[in-house]
Amino acid sequence: MPLSPARPVPARIFTQAERQAFYDIVAARRDVRNEFEDRPIAEDVLKRILAAAHAAPSVGFMQPWNFILIRDPARRQAVQAAFAVANEEAAAMFPDEKQAAYRALKLEGITKAPLNIAVTCDRSRGGRVVLGRTHNREMDIYSTVCAVQNLWLAARAEGIGMGWVSIFRPEDLRRILGVPDHVEIVAYLCLGHVSELYDRPELAAKGWRARLELETLVMEEGWTGAAPEEEEDQSPAIR
């Protein structure tokens, strides 16, 4: 089938106030764990947030994402139990002198947040050959991560906090949520209203790791970076 004719339309020019609002939202985004309030997210707000996620770019316009909304306390308790097992495994991976600091961190809000969302990537969507994914099959995963970022920023604009929980055995989460084998679980998110947040990323505020200077990460024309960091330099102790 031939492609239908289309013409570009004039690009919208945003005002200075609109541009600044966007940058303010980016700067104010936080990975929320413990600040969720116990009140539900209104359905119209949730719909706007999900619509923003669905507006994300995707390779070949395959739109590989699905959003599993999880409100049931028993199911969230099962997810939290799966997290607890994996979190203990994760703690043991750190040097002995860092394990206490790791365990002191609050790394999830699964049962405290009123809404959990699992974001998945259907790797079969669009068929066997997808425009733009012919030479890099992971592009559908990257597209789904773009949807997560859109969701995160839209939530912050609506006064909704969001935390991304990544410490799971994938097979445990797949079993609890009944996700089929051809679908990848990309993100497990906790959402809820917030009235207080850290004024900078929580792991920076608690001394786990400082933000890198942007100037040290920008390169011209090719790779000019340093060798990999030594293990002992990667995460300073909490102070």
Side-chain angles (χ1 to χ4, degrees), residues 78-113:
V79 173
Q80 202 280 332
F83 163 83
V85 170
N87 195 46
E88 277 303 304
E89 293 173 346
M93 296 177 189
F94 287 92
D96 291 345
E97 65 274 13
K98 296 211 67 177
Q99 290 185 20
Y102 177 87
R103 289 190 173 94
L105 296 171
K106 172 69 171 174
L107 296 178
E108 52 80 29
I110 296 164
T111 58
K112 186 169 185 178

Side-chain angles (χ1 to χ4, degrees), residues 75 78-79 81-82 169-179 185:
R75 193 179 303 275
V79 173
R169 294 173 177 170
E171 62 271 19
D172 290 344
L173 207 51
R174 185 179 297 278
R175 171 182 50 79
I176 295 168
L177 301 178
V179 176
I185 302 171

Side-chain angles (χ1 to χ4, degrees), residues 173-236:
L173 207 51
R174 185 179 297 278
R175 171 182 50 79
I176 295 168
L177 301 178
V179 176
D181 290 342
H182 71 282
V183 174
E184 194 77 21
I185 302 171
V186 173
Y188 192 91
L189 311 174
C190 304
L191 287 89
H193 286 277
V194 291
S195 57
E196 293 183 336
L197 292 171
Y198 286 89
D199 63 357
R200 50 186 169 141
E202 185 175 349
L203 292 183
K206 292 184 175 179
W208 185 261
R209 186 169 173 87
R211 186 182 295 280
L212 301 176
E213 294 294 334
L214 174 61
E215 291 74 14
T216 68
L217 306 176
V218 178
M219 305 175 192
E220 297 279 356
E221 309 295 348
W223 181 266
T224 57
E229 298 180 31
E230 294 296 329
E231 182 176 348
E232 60 267 25
D233 295 334
Q234 289 183 359
S235 15

